[in-house]
Amino acid sequence: MRVTGYRSLLTRHEWGRLTGDANGVMPGHQTDVHVLILETDEGLEGIGVGAHGDIDRVFGAVEGQDPRAVTALYDRMLACVFKTGHAGSAFGAIGAIDMALWDLKAKAAGEPLWRTLGALDRFVPGYASGLDIALDDDALVRLYQQYADRGFSSAKLKGGHDVRHDLRRLLAVREVLSRNSAYPALMLDANESWNRTQAVRFVTELERSVDLAWIEEPVRRWDSGGLAAVRQHIRAGVATGENLTGLEQYRPLLAADAVDIVQIGNVWGITHFLRTAAVAHLYDLPVSPVTYHTNPVAHAAAAIPNHLAFEVQHLTAPVGLAIDQEIMDGGIVLGDEPGIGIRVDEEHINAVRAANPVAKVAGPHVRPARAGLRLVPDLPRPAAAGTAVLPTGKPA
């Protein structure tokens, strides 16, 4: 079997609500979902997900190769961008191809990927994560009631602007989840919006009333000194790593004893996840995957010894995709379909050539100009009459 080509598709996920974080809010209820289909000379096709606009930089490393040699092809892709660098969009393309290669490998074996990777149990414990910063209190409670109905007893909220606002929301979600556990686990994600002093002050205030399991990305992802300082002055664990594009980027964080929960992005692929999890295991650290549509890395999470909890953001599938998994009992139950378990209905998807996401001037993927430079927490500014204000302080 040989890789002969690829197709790129663009579909959307319908959230039914606004999503965002401390850096901004998406303008609508939909987000793009990029799908990669690797073609082979035997007609078998592999599915990967995630933006892969730089695919032509690395596809030559796998073209004509046997897709079952996944780890060797992963290193081959990295080697092809050795001089120009593999971070950013190139790493996204490598991750999407890597997923599709693992999908092909498991399909060729006629078994689900979790089985190919050596997992014994198909259940992957998780936590609820609603990307919820734009929701008012009532909408927040309604959302997490849906997660509670699926058995979740832990949740991560987006916050970081107003400690009183975040405390009120954490307490409300704790109440919702208390029907599944006497001690629900609560986390807060600041999405790199603070400096180290802000982080310690903010979390210390929250911890007067809430026992946080972890604070996520309190400072910049590469700030090993800052993360270590925050970790030394709060009770909560420090979680980070979702935006690190390469195993080597974890080295300074681990050397500085700066992280309690090692996070790994789904969009960076199966091989990167497995290698990072192995390094974290060397330090006796748990790993927690930061999710992406279809939860592809859940198969790998089922097969490692130090998986803590898998982020579950969505309870439905993107348009045109069917996923062989169930969200129940507070986690993900993986199915028996060969491969990653993603089926694609191309008739319901707008097929397009892979392209890098268009640059935005606002939203959760754009760093605000004053992030980490505020003396006091951000509070909503008074709006003109008749203008709604989002929790970000921006007009709706």
Side-chain angles (χ1 to χ4, degrees):
M1 181 164 50
R2 304 290 172 183
V3 175
T4 57
Y6 68 87
R7 304 193 302 281
S8 292
L9 311 176
L10 180 66
T11 186
R12 291 181 178 272
H13 187 82
E14 304 280 354
W15 295 96
R17 64 182 189 275
L18 292 175
T19 58
D21 59 34
N23 299 307
V25 175
M26 296 297 291
H29 292 189
Q30 301 175 326
T31 53
D32 290 342
V33 182
H34 296 263
V35 181
L36 173 68
I37 302 177
L38 276 191
E39 303 163 343
T40 70
D41 58 355
E42 295 186 9
L44 204 61
E45 295 184 334
I47 310 300
V49 294
H52 49 276
D54 261 0
I55 188 169
D56 288 334
R57 287 183 61 198
V58 294
F59 180 71
V62 303
E63 188 174 17
Q65 302 297 316
D66 188 327
R68 291 167 291 188
V70 187
T71 54
L73 293 179
Y74 181 84
D75 289 326
R76 188 180 170 97
M77 286 188 284
L78 290 179
C80 283
V81 289
F82 168 65
K83 284 291 187 181
T84 54
H86 63 247
S89 58
F91 204 63
I94 291 171
I97 293 174
D98 180 71
M99 277 184 231
L101 291 172
W102 278 106
D103 188 42
L104 281 167
K105 185 178 180 73
K107 284 176 176 174
E111 58 188 13
L113 181 58
W114 62 268
R115 180 81 68 189
T116 302
L117 292 172
L120 180 65
D121 191 346
R122 70 180 68 213
F123 178 71
V124 180
Y127 68 87
S129 177
L131 307 174
D132 45 52
I133 202 166
L135 302 182
D136 63 29
D137 291 2
D138 290 339
L140 181 80
V141 167
R142 289 195 299 271
L143 173 62
Y144 281 95
Q145 284 173 339
Q146 296 178 44
Y147 285 111
D149 291 342
R150 304 288 185 105
F152 284 90
S153 58
S154 54
K156 183 179 76 183
L157 276 65
K158 297 290 189 179
H161 288 289
D162 179 355
V163 67
R164 295 165 297 176
H165 176 264
D166 289 351
L167 176 58
R168 185 179 70 248
R169 290 157 55 86
L170 285 164
L171 293 175
V173 171
R174 185 174 71 181
E175 179 66 23
V176 171
L177 299 181
S178 64
R179 63 168 139 135
N180 295 329
S181 172
Y183 302 99
L186 298 175
M187 296 80 82
L188 185 72
D189 189 355
N191 288 104
E192 306 182 62
S193 64
W194 298 325
N195 62 43
R196 65 184 71 181
T197 304
Q198 291 170 338
V200 171
R201 292 175 65 192
F202 202 107
V203 176
T204 299
E205 181 61 28
L206 285 177
E207 289 184 326
R208 299 181 195 278
S209 304
V210 177
D211 184 20
L212 286 176
W214 77 60
I215 182 70
E216 185 169 324
E217 290 190 329
V219 298
R220 298 311 301 269
R221 67 195 76 165
W222 54 74
D223 185 3
S224 56
L227 289 164
V230 172
R231 183 172 180 264
Q232 292 166 6
H233 288 90
I234 63 174
R235 297 199 314 269
V238 169
T240 191
E242 66 176 285
N243 293 311
L244 300 182
T245 52
L247 186 61
E248 70 284 350
Q249 294 188 6
Y250 289 87
R251 183 183 300 173
L253 302 181
L254 297 171
D257 202 17
V259 58
D260 295 286
I261 297 92
V262 176
Q263 296 181 303
I264 312 168
N266 265 243
V267 291
W268 308 135
I270 306 296
T271 301
H272 171 70
F273 175 84
L274 291 171
R275 291 181 176 182
T276 305
V279 171
H281 192 43
L282 176 66
Y283 287 81
D284 289 323
L285 292 174
V287 298
S288 179
V290 175
T291 195
Y292 186 74
H293 307 280
T294 74
N295 308 315
V297 170
H299 289 264
I304 63 169
N306 54 330
H307 173 255
L308 178 62
F310 199 101
E311 182 180 29
V312 177
Q313 292 179 350
H314 54 79
L315 302 176
T316 58
V319 175
L321 301 184
I323 316 166
D324 186 28
Q325 59 185 229
E326 292 186 73
I327 308 299
M328 59 186 294
D329 298 330
I332 301 169
V333 181
L334 299 167
D336 285 317
E337 285 191 18
I340 292 179
I342 303 173
R343 281 171 282 130
V344 181
D345 186 347
E346 294 190 51
E347 293 184 0
H348 288 80
I349 294 178
N350 177 30
V352 297
R353 184 73 172 166
N356 283 318
V358 177
K360 307 291 186 182
V361 296
H365 303 296
V366 180
R367 185 164 174 81
R370 298 296 295 173
L373 296 174
R374 299 181 297 269
L375 291 175
V376 297
D378 284 350
L379 299 176
R381 295 179 181 178
T387 302
V389 174
L390 298 173
T392 56
K394 298 179 179 180

